[in-house]
Amino acid sequence: MVNFLDKSEEKISKEFLQNGYIIKKIDDLSSLNWIKKTFSKILQTKRNFKNISQDQALDETHNHLNKKDLNKFRLDIINKLNLKKELRKKYFNCAKSYLELIVGNELVMQKKINLSIQLPKDNSSLLDVHADVWSGDSPYEAVAWIPLVNCFKTKSMYILPFSKYKKYEKKLFSKKIKNSKNLFNKIKKDLKWLNVKYGELIIFNQCLPHGNVVNKTNETRWSMNCRFKSVYSPYADK
């Protein structure tokens, strides 16, 4: 079969097929900057965040927010952001060329952008090891994960690369696996921690086990995620 990909596109395609994810520079940095600036404007309406610089407000959120108020705070911000008509287009622009290469150019996009805020040493915002397909998402979806701050080590997310997935495929649904903690301990030596700077994104196969752990850095993590799939690929429960 003949394909019409150039060398750079072939490299990205092979990387995604081999690893189940890619980390690349944002397609349209002005769109990401618009999103970050919009976040900042919403934050500045909060009493504890007035007169704080944009970067400081994000990386140092834990210095201005009580942990018990985190979820209410997060939902309020993302709900206000999702009211912006430009948001979904700006988000898509950040990942457009990669999504069209990996998923296709006739796409369905999740209606709302999701937001994760993870404070240092906070165990209330964890996503234990999981794959989105285990809870009813289509296996034909890809996730575009975009940080608003530099993410590294436990301030980021982990994934089981596709090259290691087959090693555990039969064990994932074994009766010997009692819970997510048990599963994490089984696969943790082969998990890949994804270091992603502001201005970069991850696109990953959400069939692969992924998640996060307690953020052991002294900075707060802000990241967004949104799912995309081809219009013509099969849907699932969601």
Side-chain angles (χ1 to χ4, degrees):
M1 180 183 292
V2 177
N3 77 60
F4 299 99
L5 301 179
D6 61 34
K7 287 185 179 179
S8 63
E9 290 172 332
E10 282 190 354
K11 184 178 179 182
I12 292 170
S13 181
K14 287 178 181 177
E15 185 180 346
F16 185 81
L17 289 172
Q18 180 178 341
N19 297 327
Y21 68 89
I22 55 171
I23 299 174
K24 299 296 175 187
K25 288 184 178 179
I26 291 287
D27 264 338
D28 180 9
L29 191 57
S30 65
S31 286
L32 178 59
N33 289 338
W34 179 92
I35 294 172
K36 187 172 182 177
K37 188 175 181 180
T38 306
F39 265 113
S40 181
K41 287 179 180 178
I42 296 170
L43 269 176
Q44 286 171 2
T45 66
K46 305 288 186 183
R47 186 173 50 125
N48 292 351
F49 289 85
K50 291 183 183 296
N51 304 316
I52 300 174
S53 71
Q54 180 175 262
D55 290 331
Q56 186 181 18
L58 296 177
D59 270 323
E60 299 182 14
T61 300
H62 54 283
N63 291 332
H64 309 282
L65 179 69
N66 193 309
K67 185 166 63 176
K68 67 180 177 59
D69 299 322
L70 174 60
N71 195 48
K72 182 180 178 181
F73 173 84
R74 180 185 66 83
L75 289 174
D76 180 61
I77 288 175
I78 196 60
N79 287 338
K80 286 176 178 174
L81 190 72
N82 274 301
L83 291 175
K84 306 289 184 182
K85 292 182 179 179
E86 309 99 310
L87 175 64
R88 293 173 78 245
K89 184 177 181 180
K90 296 286 187 185
Y91 199 94
F92 174 64
N93 285 344
C94 289
K96 182 177 179 181
S97 69
Y98 308 116
L99 289 168
E100 291 184 345
L101 176 62
I102 291 167
V103 187
N105 61 7
E106 294 180 294
L107 295 169
V108 178
M109 179 181 182
Q110 188 174 325
K111 285 185 177 180
K112 291 188 176 182
I113 310 301
N114 293 321
L115 172 67
S116 175
I117 304 174
Q118 195 177 10
L119 308 178
K121 300 174 180 61
D122 176 23
N123 62 5
S124 69
S125 303
L126 298 184
L127 274 176
D128 291 329
V129 60
H130 68 287
D132 297 2
V133 293
W134 298 350
S135 57
D137 287 294
S138 170
Y140 296 91
E141 295 172 3
V143 178
W145 192 95
I146 301 178
L148 289 161
V149 292
N150 294 334
C151 292
F152 53 92
K153 297 180 179 178
T154 56
K155 190 187 174 188
S156 186
M157 61 170 280
Y158 61 76
I159 193 167
L160 182 67
F162 186 69
S163 57
K164 301 291 185 182
Y165 176 79
K166 291 190 176 181
K167 175 180 174 181
Y168 297 101
E169 193 169 12
K170 292 182 180 178
K171 297 178 182 179
L172 291 175
F173 304 102
S174 167
K175 291 181 180 178
K176 294 180 181 179
I177 303 294
K178 303 298 182 185
N179 50 49
S180 57
K181 183 178 179 181
N182 189 213
L183 175 58
F184 177 81
N185 288 332
K186 286 278 185 186
I187 67 176
K188 66 180 180 181
K189 67 178 180 180
D190 286 317
L191 293 174
K192 178 71 175 177
W193 289 92
L194 305 181
N195 294 336
V196 198
K197 297 176 183 177
Y198 179 77
E200 296 179 333
L201 56 71
I202 307 168
I203 295 180
F204 68 91
N205 178 346
Q206 43 100 52
C207 297
L208 298 174
H210 58 279
N212 61 20
V213 296
V214 172
N215 176 6
K216 295 180 181 178
T217 75
N218 60 359
E219 299 173 354
T220 297
R221 190 247 284 187
W222 287 67
S223 63
M224 303 170 291
N225 66 83
C226 185
R227 298 183 183 89
F228 296 83
K229 68 181 289 296
S230 168
V231 171
Y232 301 107
S233 63
Y235 289 77
D237 294 340
K238 293 184 179 178

